[in-house]
Amino acid sequence: MRVIAGTYKGHSLKAVPGMNTRPTTDKVKESVFHRIGPFFNGGLGLDLFAGSGGLGIEALSRGLDRCIFVDHNGKAIQIIKENISALRISEEQVEIYKADAKRALKACAKRELKFDLIMLDPPYKLKNHMELVEQIEKLGLLKESGQILCEHDAKDVLTETAHFSIMKREEYGMIGVTIFQKQI
């Protein structure tokens, strides 16, 4: 697992040991970021269910100013910190929290944060993508031009909501990726 493009291009990332996390493959990461970026002119990201932090780190490498990393697994939090440290990413660019996803979203809303990019990659067995997308919508966490990137089981079909349309849906074998954006 490595950073595909940008400032940290080519650097390897540590993965969370065990079978509880499933890092986004380099092929999927490259394709997805090519569709949503491929580079950013600043902005704020949220890597929810961050695992090793690969998606958020890729977004920082491609130009996001800051990223908040959230995972409920203590070992994942440790690996994110190690990956951030190894790449010498500035402390001002990251916030890392051990928290439940729904609580983290509520905390972001209390802080009145608005994100340019929200990355959702929960364990496939949870099947709560739409619930999270609807909570993001209800809490008003996405900027007008923002996007939500959802990685999910290819068998699962995510649908548009009252305020978010599907910009792109792709399949990579068993992996599905759906990208939402605000309806204008």
Side-chain angles (χ1 to χ4, degrees), residues 11-26:
H11 286 78
S12 294
L13 298 173
K14 287 185 177 182
V16 180
M19 301 301 290
N20 292 334
T21 61
R22 168 199 29 76
T24 302
T25 66
D26 290 350

Side-chain angles (χ1 to χ4, degrees), residues 7-66:
T7 306
Y8 309 110
K9 178 181 179 178
H11 286 78
S12 294
L13 298 173
K14 287 185 177 182
V16 180
M19 301 301 290
N20 292 334
T21 61
R22 168 199 29 76
T24 302
T25 66
D26 290 350
K27 175 185 171 189
V28 171
K29 202 176 350 174
E30 182 173 21
S31 179
V32 165
F33 275 94
H34 184 68
R35 300 224 184 318
I36 63 173
F39 294 93
F40 304 99
N41 290 320
L44 177 62
L46 174 63
D47 190 351
L48 209 54
F49 304 94
S52 63
L55 290 173
I57 290 170
E58 187 72 34
L60 287 169
S61 183
R62 291 171 181 257
L64 276 188
D65 292 322
R66 293 181 45 236

Side-chain angles (χ1 to χ4, degrees), residues 144 163 165 181-184:
E144 286 300 318
H163 297 97
S165 60
Q181 67 182 36
K182 273 194 171 181
Q183 292 184 14
I184 300 172

Side-chain angles (χ1 to χ4, degrees), residues 92-112:
E92 290 80 35
Q93 289 185 273
V94 298
E95 294 178 38
I96 305 168
Y97 298 103
K98 182 179 185 290
D100 167 79
K102 290 180 184 178
R103 267 176 76 195
L105 291 174
K106 288 177 185 173
C108 289
K110 280 186 180 178
R111 291 174 60 190
E112 298 181 359

Side-chain angles (χ1 to χ4, degrees), residues 107-121:
C108 289
K110 280 186 180 178
R111 291 174 60 190
E112 298 181 359
L113 296 174
K114 300 271 188 201
F115 295 95
D116 297 278
L117 177 63
I118 298 176
M119 298 154 277
L120 301 177
D121 189 10

